[in-house]
Amino acid sequence: MIAVPASRLPMRLSLAALAVAALGACQQRATPAVMEPAPVVPAPLALPTGSGCGPEIARTKAIVDSDVATGNLNKPVGDRFNADLAQAAAECSAGKSGEALHLLAAAKSRYGYR
């Protein structure tokens, strides 16, 4: 053991405490790795082909369903849009393609689709 005069003891303890504090400040703490969420990549959308009111309504329905699945359109709005599309599809099935296309255009305009 080293003998330290009593008058220098407080100064030695202060220096020791300062050294310990300095060493503690130099230690880096491990930070947890931040993981970014993987982007949602939708599957390629296969749109129905053909002309007339049936395929046109089916294409719009496929786009709306895809937008709901990816979160680009919230589900309640998608449900209302699909209800409007079902009404247009019913008119198309009844042979009223003019009315069906009119209902389709109105629904697309109402929900901001082209």
Side-chain angles (χ1 to χ4, degrees):
M1 213 170 176
I2 299 176
V4 178
S7 62
R8 292 193 171 215
L9 188 60
M11 184 172 69
R12 295 257 178 166
L13 288 176
S14 296
L15 287 174
L18 183 60
V20 169
L23 282 175
C26 290
Q27 293 180 359
Q28 294 182 356
R29 292 194 165 59
T31 56
V34 177
M35 297 190 61
E36 300 252 345
V40 175
V41 179
L45 187 59
L47 297 176
T49 58
S51 61
C53 58
E56 191 70 31
I57 293 167
R59 279 191 289 276
T60 303
K61 181 170 178 13
I63 292 168
V64 170
D65 291 345
S66 173
D67 286 351
V68 170
T70 59
N72 292 323
L73 184 65
N74 69 30
K75 185 162 175 16
V77 174
D79 291 344
R80 289 193 306 268
F81 200 159
N82 278 324
D84 290 347
L85 293 176
Q87 190 176 18
E91 292 295 318
C92 183
S93 294
K96 301 177 185 175
S97 77
E99 180 64 22
L101 292 173
H102 173 73
L103 289 171
L104 174 63
K108 288 168 79 172
S109 175
R110 183 177 308 117
Y111 298 104
Y113 284 69
R114 293 183 183 189

